[in-house]
Amino acid sequence: MSKGKILLTGAAGYIGSHTWVELCQAGYEVVGVDNFYNSERDVVERIGKILGREVLFEEADCSDLQAFGKVFEKHPDIVGAVHFAACKAVGESIDKPLMYYRNNIVSLLNLITLMTEKAKAANIVFSSSCTVYGQPDEDHLPIAEDAPLKRSLSPYGKSKQMAEEILSDSVIAFPHLKVCALRYFNPIGAHPSALIGELPRGVPQNLVPFVTQTAAGIRDHLNVFGDDYNTPDGSCIRDYIYVVDLAKAHVKAIDKLVGETEVHPVEETDEPTYVDAAKTGRWYIYNLGTGRGLSVLELVHGFMKATGVNLPYEIAPRRHGDIEQVWADPHKAERELGWKADTPIEDVLRSAWNWQKTL
Ligand code: UD1
C-alpha cells in the first residue's frame, strides 16, 4: 500500500530525479512534474527503468498557475510536495534576474496557493541552499541553522532567501500548512545505477561536472580557482554531499510532515498575530551536509585516487564572488530527522565518474 501521493516539481532535474527514486522506494506514490526547461525528457523513462515500473508524470510549468492547477485537478489526493523546480546558476541569475524571480518565486507562490487550496494535505518540502548564509564568519563554522543570514549577492541567492520568507509567512497565515526548508550544501555524484546524474548544459560551472568532463578528455584541464585563500592548502572549502544521501533526507522530511498528525494552531494571544514562524511548530529548517569541509585540491586528488584517472589541473585566479569556506553543522537533521550523510567521498567521486562514462 502506498504511503501517500507526493508531488515532485523539477522531477527530471539532478536532485529531483534522485529524490523521485528514493521516495518511490520508500513506498510513496510520486507524481513527477517538469517542463524540461533545464532537464531531459528521457530521465522520466530512466526513473521507470530503475524502479522497474511505470511512473506518474505530468508535463507542466509551475509558474503557469492554470497549467500547474490541472495537475491538482487530476490528482486531488496529493498529501505532500517536494519543490525543486527552479533555476540555479548564480552567474546567469545576475544577467537574467527577472527570469530567476519568475521561475523561482512565481512557481513557489503557485505551489503554496495550490497546496493550501487544492491538495488533500498541505505539506511542503522546499529545496533551499546554503547560499542563504553567504560568507559565514569564521567563528560560525561549521554553520548551523541559527547562524545569521547575510545579504545574498545574486538574484539566485536572494530568490532562495525570499522563498524561505514567503514560506514562513505562509505557515503563519495557513494553519494547515507545514513546511520543511532544506538547505543543501554542495550535492555531487550520481545514482549507483548510472542511469541518472547531473546533466550540465554547455560548459559546467560547478566543480565536479567540470572534473569528470576533464577526466574524460572533453576539457583539457581544470582551473582551480585560487590557491591563496586563508585555508590549509589555499583552495576554497565546501561541504560536498552525495546526491543519493541528500535525496534520502527528503524522504525523511516528507515522513516527518506527512506522518505528524498533531495540529499546531497559532496560539491566540494578545500579541500581534504576526509571530515568529518557528513558534507555530509547523516550520522547520535543516542543513543538509556531511559536516566535513573538503578543499578543491583535496577533491581533485581524491578523484584521481578513487578512479585511477589522471586529472590535469592548473591554478587559476580566484573566481569572482566565491565564498572562501563553508561547511555544515548537520546535527539538527540527524537529531530531528534521523538522517545522516554517510557515503564515503571516494565512492561518491567514483559514482560521478561512472556516470560521466555513460555520457
Ligand atoms: C554555489 C552556491 C550554491 C549554488 C551553486 C550553483 C555557495 C556556498 N554555494 O556553489 O548554493 O547552488 O553555486 O551554481 O554560495 N571550482 C574550481 N574550478 C571550477 C569550478 C569550481 O576551482 O571549474 C571551485 C570553486 O571556486 C569553489 C568550488 O570549486 O570553490 C565549488 O564550486 P561550485 O561547484 O561552483 O559550487 P559553489 O560555488 O560552492
Side-chain angles (χ1 to χ4, degrees):
M1 218 195 58
S2 152
K3 280 161 76 178
K5 192 180 273 184
I6 306 297
L7 173 79
L8 194 63
T9 74
Y14 175 42
I15 310 175
S17 57
H18 289 82
T19 302
W20 196 345
V21 171
E22 296 303 321
L23 279 168
C24 289
Q25 287 179 340
Y28 288 99
E29 192 180 4
V30 173
V31 187
V33 172
D34 209 298
N35 65 351
F36 302 112
Y37 173 74
N38 193 22
S39 58
E40 300 299 326
R41 285 176 189 274
D42 74 339
V43 168
V44 178
E45 236 169 79
R46 287 162 176 254
I47 300 286
K49 227 184 228 175
I50 295 172
L51 295 169
R53 63 180 120 110
E54 288 266 308
V55 294
L56 281 177
F57 179 77
E58 307 288 346
E59 185 168 345
D61 179 344
C62 302
S63 63
D64 175 343
L65 183 60
Q66 240 189 342
F68 196 14
K70 286 200 181 121
V71 176
F72 287 78
E73 277 164 30
K74 210 165 154 189
H75 302 279
D77 50 345
I78 287 167
V79 295
V82 185
H83 185 52
F84 291 109
C87 295
K88 59 164 189 180
V90 173
E92 184 188 47
S93 79
I94 295 168
D95 296 333
K96 300 178 182 167
L98 300 188
M99 182 179 102
Y100 269 68
Y101 290 125
R102 187 172 306 112
N103 276 343
N104 296 8
I105 302 296
V106 176
S107 296
L108 177 70
L109 299 178
N110 289 345
L111 179 84
I112 300 170
T113 305
L114 293 165
M115 284 301 288
T116 52
E117 290 178 6
K118 308 269 191 228
K120 196 169 158 201
N123 295 306
I124 298 177
V125 173
F126 176 68
S127 166
S128 190
S129 166
C130 70
T131 198
V132 299
Y133 297 118
Q135 167 73 68
D137 299 327
E138 245 175 74
D139 55 350
H140 278 124
L141 285 169
I143 199 153
E145 291 80 353
D146 56 3
L149 303 191
K150 300 266 183 75
R151 187 169 181 272
S152 173
L153 296 177
S154 73
Y156 161 74
K158 283 182 195 162
S159 78
K160 291 293 174 192
Q161 292 180 333
M162 284 177 200
E164 287 195 5
E165 298 283 359
I166 291 166
L167 283 162
S168 62
D169 284 349
S170 301
V171 164
I172 294 165
F174 300 103
H176 63 305
L177 175 64
K178 288 187 275 176
V179 177
C180 186
L182 301 177
R183 293 177 178 161
Y184 313 149
F185 283 69
N186 290 56
I188 61 166
H191 195 262
S193 65
L195 282 167
I196 52 171
E198 196 167 3
L199 274 172
R201 286 189 173 158
V203 181
Q205 303 297 308
N206 293 114
L207 179 61
V208 169
F210 206 106
V211 162
T212 57
Q213 288 196 4
T214 307
I218 300 168
R219 317 268 158 215
D220 54 68
H221 70 275
L222 166 81
N223 282 316
V224 172
F225 297 138
D227 69 346
D228 55 353
Y229 284 100
N230 184 25
T231 60
D233 66 20
S235 64
C236 289
I237 293 177
R238 296 288 185 275
D239 187 333
Y240 296 94
I241 173 171
Y242 184 35
V243 67
V244 175
D245 288 337
L246 189 71
K248 287 181 176 156
H250 293 74
V251 177
K252 296 283 190 181
I254 279 289
D255 281 346
K256 181 177 175 71
L257 296 184
V258 173
E260 264 178 2
T261 46
E262 205 184 323
V263 185
H264 304 274
V266 180
E267 272 174 44
E268 297 250 358
T269 63
D270 293 336
E271 285 175 37
T273 49
Y274 189 76
V275 293
D276 177 358
K279 288 191 185 153
T280 62
R282 294 177 284 108
W283 167 241
Y284 306 96
I285 299 176
Y286 298 108
N287 281 342
L288 299 183
T290 64
R292 288 180 305 276
L294 201 71
S295 75
V296 176
L297 287 169
E298 284 172 326
L299 187 141
V300 165
H301 291 291
F303 179 85
M304 291 196 260
K305 192 161 167 241
T307 61
V309 180
N310 183 44
L311 182 70
Y313 70 89
E314 287 174 13
I315 305 299
R318 292 180 176 198
R319 182 171 72 176
H320 179 70
D322 253 340
I323 284 166
E324 180 176 275
Q325 44 186 327
V326 61
W327 68 95
D329 176 345
H331 289 103
K332 189 172 172 217
E334 188 176 347
R335 263 189 333 266
E336 296 185 18
L337 296 177
W339 169 89
K340 201 174 171 184
D342 49 15
T343 308
I345 185 75
E346 299 76 26
D347 295 354
V348 179
L349 293 171
R350 259 194 301 272
S351 78
W353 177 234
N354 289 340
W355 165 243
Q356 177 67 53
K357 285 191 285 185
T358 71
L359 299 177

